């Protein structure tokens, strides 16, 4: 019976007649037997197999190098070695697939930069495998959070015709031949001849569609891939990333912030509870302050300030920021990090941003210059959540859409929500990779994504 290394290491008592299959991390030879460290990806730790040179199949041992795949039968017995409770006393050894000395992960301690050059193999390292296991577990925890609160999981389209964030950072979806597209009489590309009979794009956010579903189902959430053709070469931006977007009917900005903060706390607690070995690993090798920071976040309330208060604090800090702080401009990453890392030493939720810096759909505040927006900022990463209460008043929304230069006819369906049974509603987007950066202490989004897509790299 094949069992996973994770289950073997968690055994309560010795187990006979088991099979363990995985990849060889190291082999050490002694007189008459060899030690083979097997990792099958089910957990961080390896299982040590002790192979007597007299057992069937042991003659292959000489060619068993780091990276080879093996399958071994044997008995799980208490290990005399330090630091491990169990080892496998092998009764039959099988080399499944050889790996020769060119296997690039021979030694421990490769740099993250080197590992990025071998995305197809790097998941066999503790660092990437740990981050992928955390990612899997936290994806489940996202669903647990919303399902326990009665939210419906909805799937908004990946191919869309609207630019939710209005930043024009869309990837085009077309079947036209770029070298010879059909032309209209005026010489421009005839998009009516394209696959969808109009221009289409990959979505930057499922929000607008999620709003329509929230105004039917009450509370909904999406969790899926989003795409941004934003040419920013930073450690926190990817061209393809996963976003969690809840949308709640009969909810205001305060309820929105409550939900976002609870979700972040829930995910941090889930990581601490479900992946302690992985977090110990990141704490030891990637970010020494990680565990302490995560425990604080799980226990303490988040600081809440308005954008105006944030600007005042930044101006009073006396810091020579690269981007000067000015009321009306969006906060830059260096400003966000000063607030969370230096001023408050923990997560900060900032609300009521200037309208001019934000998209058309945010609810206008009574001061006529700010909107009911909120961002959650965390140490080490900066913004991980962006959200708002939505403008539910039809005249106000129409005016904002005009001011943003939108074609009202194309957004008729969105305006219909305000015409038929409009309700106050709010939502946010949590960048899944940004959250994973926070939970692992990884400083680069490329290292919490199996196959990162960034400008110039796919
Ligand atoms: O602040 P953003 O642009 O908000 C929206 O898209 C809203 N429509 C969400 C909503 O209200 N339903 O993006 C939300 C989050 C950011 O806070 C950040 O965590 C992440 O998505 N994000 C990115 N993550 C990785 N790479 C990028 N290029 C990202 N852009 C945004
Ligand atoms: Mg944002």
């Amino acid at each position: 019976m094949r069992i996973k290394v994770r289950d073997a290491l968690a055994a309560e008592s010795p187990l006979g007649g088991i099979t363990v299959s995985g990849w060889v991390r190291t082999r050490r030879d002694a007189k008459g037997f060899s030690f083979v460290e097997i990792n099958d990806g089910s957990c961080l730790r390896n299982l040590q197999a002790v192979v007597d040179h007299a057992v069937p199949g042991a003659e292959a041992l000489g060619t068993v190098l780091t990276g080879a795949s093996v399958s071994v039968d044997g008995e799980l017995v208490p290990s005399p070695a330090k630091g491990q409770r169990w080892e496998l006393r092998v009764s039959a050894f099988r080399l499944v697939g050889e790996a020769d000395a060119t296997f690039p992960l021979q030694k421990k301690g490769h740099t993250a930069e080197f590992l990025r050059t071998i995305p197809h193999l790097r998941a066999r390292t503790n660092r990437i495998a740990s981050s992928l296991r955390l990612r899997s577990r936290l994806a489940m925890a996202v669903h647990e959070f919303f399902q326990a609160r009665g939210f419906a999981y909805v799937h908004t389209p990946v191919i869309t015709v609207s630019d939710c964030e209005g930043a024009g950072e869309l990837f085009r979806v077309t079947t036209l031949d770029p070298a010879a597209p059909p032309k209209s009489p005026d010489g421009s590309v005839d998009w009516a001849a394209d696959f969808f009979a109009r221009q289409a794009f990959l979505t930057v956010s499922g929000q607008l569609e999620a709003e329509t579903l929230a105004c039917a189902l009450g509370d909904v959430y999406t969790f899926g891939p989003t795409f941004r053709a934003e040419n920013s070469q930073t450690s926190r931006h990817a061209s393809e990333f996963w976003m969690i977007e809840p949308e709640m009917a009969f909810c205001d900005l305060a309820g929105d912030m409550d939900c976002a903060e609870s979700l972040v706390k829930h995910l941090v607690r889930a990581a601490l509870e479900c992946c302690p070995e992985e977090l110990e690993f990141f704490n030891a090798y990637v970010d020494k302050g990680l565990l302490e920071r995560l425990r604080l976040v799980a226990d303490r309330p988040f600081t809440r300030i308005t954008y105006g208060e944030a600007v005042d604090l930044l101006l009073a800090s006396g810091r020579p920021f690269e981007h000067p702080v000015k009321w009306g401009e969006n906060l830059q990453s260096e400003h966000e990090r000063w607030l969370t890392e230096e001023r408050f030493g923990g997560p900060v939720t900032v609300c009521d941003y200037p309208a001019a810096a934000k998209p058309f759909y945010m609810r206008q505040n009574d001061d006529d210059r700010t909107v009911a927006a909120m961002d959650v900022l965390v140490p080490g990463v900066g913004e991980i959540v962006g959200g708002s209460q939505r403008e539910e008043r039809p005249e106000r929304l129409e005016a904002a859409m005009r001011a943003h230069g939108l074609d009202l006819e194309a957004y008729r369906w969105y305006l219909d929500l305000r015409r038929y049974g409009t309700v106050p509603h709010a939502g946010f987007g949590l960048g899944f990779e940004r959250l994973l950066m926070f939970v692992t202490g990884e400083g680069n989004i490329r290292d919490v994504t199996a196959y990162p897509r960034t400008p110039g790299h796919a």
Side-chain angles (χ1 to χ4, degrees):
M1 188 191 61
R2 180 180 168 211
I3 82 167
K4 299 271 176 95
V5 168
R6 175 195 166 96
D7 299 326
L9 292 174
E12 292 294 334
S13 52
L15 294 171
I18 63 168
T19 300
V20 171
S21 304
W23 292 269
V24 173
R25 285 291 174 86
T26 59
R27 187 193 93 215
R28 262 186 316 119
D29 298 324
K31 202 169 155 39
F33 55 92
S34 296
F35 298 102
V36 181
E37 293 283 334
I38 300 175
N39 188 289
D40 69 357
S42 62
C43 67
L44 186 70
R45 284 176 294 155
N46 306 325
L47 181 63
Q48 175 172 282
V50 184
V51 193
D52 190 306
H53 291 169
V55 302
E59 58 286 354
L61 272 171
T63 54
V64 173
L65 304 181
T66 298
S69 51
V70 297
S71 192
V72 296
D73 304 336
E75 192 185 349
L76 193 71
V77 296
S79 175
K82 264 212 293 207
Q84 59 188 28
R85 186 165 169 210
W86 302 109
E87 63 184 25
L88 193 72
R89 190 184 296 147
V90 174
S91 56
F93 183 88
R94 287 179 299 280
L95 171 62
V96 176
E98 271 184 53
D100 66 19
T102 63
F103 181 61
L105 299 170
Q106 297 295 339
K107 293 185 304 257
K108 286 185 184 166
H110 294 290
T111 63
E113 289 75 15
F114 169 71
L115 293 177
R116 278 176 223 143
T117 67
I118 46 166
H120 59 302
L121 293 173
R122 69 175 181 162
R124 293 205 211 165
T125 62
N126 286 340
R127 186 165 178 177
I128 302 295
S130 291
S131 131
L132 292 175
R133 277 189 297 270
L134 251 167
R135 188 175 172 122
S136 166
R137 192 61 202 81
L138 291 186
M140 200 62 204
V142 166
H143 291 297
E144 285 156 5
F145 178 88
F146 288 114
Q147 296 289 332
R149 285 164 177 74
F151 283 60
Y153 179 30
V154 296
H155 301 99
T156 49
V158 167
I159 298 173
T160 176
V161 295
S162 47
D163 178 6
C164 173
E165 294 306 293
E169 297 162 342
L170 300 152
F171 287 101
R172 183 183 295 285
V173 176
T174 178
T175 53
L176 296 183
D177 177 358
K183 297 278 176 67
S184 309
D186 69 357
S188 62
V189 174
D190 179 15
W191 295 112
D194 202 353
F195 191 88
F196 295 105
R198 59 192 297 184
Q199 301 193 64
F201 308 92
L202 294 179
T203 187
V204 296
S205 160
Q207 176 196 322
L208 302 186
E209 292 91 351
E211 280 185 56
T212 68
L213 301 175
C215 291
L217 298 172
D219 292 334
V220 301
Y221 69 106
T222 69
F223 185 6
T226 50
F227 308 85
R228 296 195 184 180
E230 179 186 6
N231 199 1
S232 40
Q233 288 282 4
T234 80
S235 56
R236 308 170 317 126
H237 288 86
S239 315
E240 174 178 318
F241 62 97
W242 281 59
M243 191 159 38
I244 297 134
E245 294 186 274
E247 194 66 38
M248 299 163 281
F250 304 101
C251 179
D252 61 10
L253 184 68
D256 202 32
M257 293 193 283
D258 288 343
C259 182
E261 293 172 357
S262 308
L263 174 61
V264 172
K265 278 172 178 273
H266 175 83
L267 296 177
V268 167
R269 287 197 197 109
L272 287 165
E273 275 165 31
C274 306
C275 301
E277 290 182 358
E278 281 79 6
L279 292 188
E280 294 280 356
F281 171 84
F282 287 112
N283 193 61
Y285 297 104
V286 174
D287 176 354
K288 300 264 184 269
L290 180 68
L291 280 173
E292 194 190 326
R293 189 159 67 242
L294 292 181
R295 290 196 189 107
L296 271 180
V297 170
D299 295 340
R300 271 202 328 207
F302 291 15
T303 303
R304 282 189 191 178
I305 55 172
T306 64
Y307 167 88
E309 288 164 344
V311 166
D312 290 344
L313 289 170
L314 287 159
L315 288 173
S317 72
R319 273 303 167 92
F321 292 110
E322 199 183 311
H323 302 86
V325 180
K326 193 165 149 242
W327 201 100
E329 309 263 316
N330 244 328
L331 297 180
Q332 299 292 321
S333 159
E334 56 174 337
H335 308 140
E336 297 174 344
R337 295 188 63 167
W338 180 82
L339 287 167
T340 53
E341 288 161 30
E342 302 192 36
R343 180 62 182 79
F344 293 108
V348 182
T349 307
V350 181
C351 64
D352 298 329
Y353 281 79
K358 292 289 182 187
F360 71 92
Y361 54 72
M362 296 189 174
R363 191 176 197 278
Q364 295 152 44
N365 287 332
D366 292 338
D367 63 9
D368 276 334
R369 53 179 209 152
T370 63
V371 287
M374 63 96 177
D375 279 2
V376 177
L377 316 177
V378 296
V381 184
E383 176 191 343
I384 61 169
V385 168
S388 74
Q389 186 172 340
R390 320 306 188 189
E391 183 55 79
E392 87 284 12
R393 298 162 294 188
E395 311 75 33
R396 293 272 200 144
L397 181 60
E398 277 201 36
M401 290 170 92
R402 283 209 179 82
H404 280 84
L406 296 186
D407 170 10
L408 263 58
E409 210 34 58
Y411 287 86
R412 186 63 40 207
W413 59 278
Y414 188 70
L415 286 162
D416 268 358
L417 286 187
R418 280 72 184 170
R419 189 176 317 152
Y420 305 122
T422 192
V423 292
H425 61 289
F428 61 84
L430 168 64
F432 195 41
E433 289 79 9
R434 296 261 178 103
L435 175 93
L436 288 165
M437 289 174 70
F438 179 58
V439 169
T440 57
E442 288 286 7
N444 197 309
I445 197 162
R446 293 165 183 79
D447 301 327
V448 293
T449 312
Y451 286 96
R453 271 78 178 96
T454 52
H457 290 276

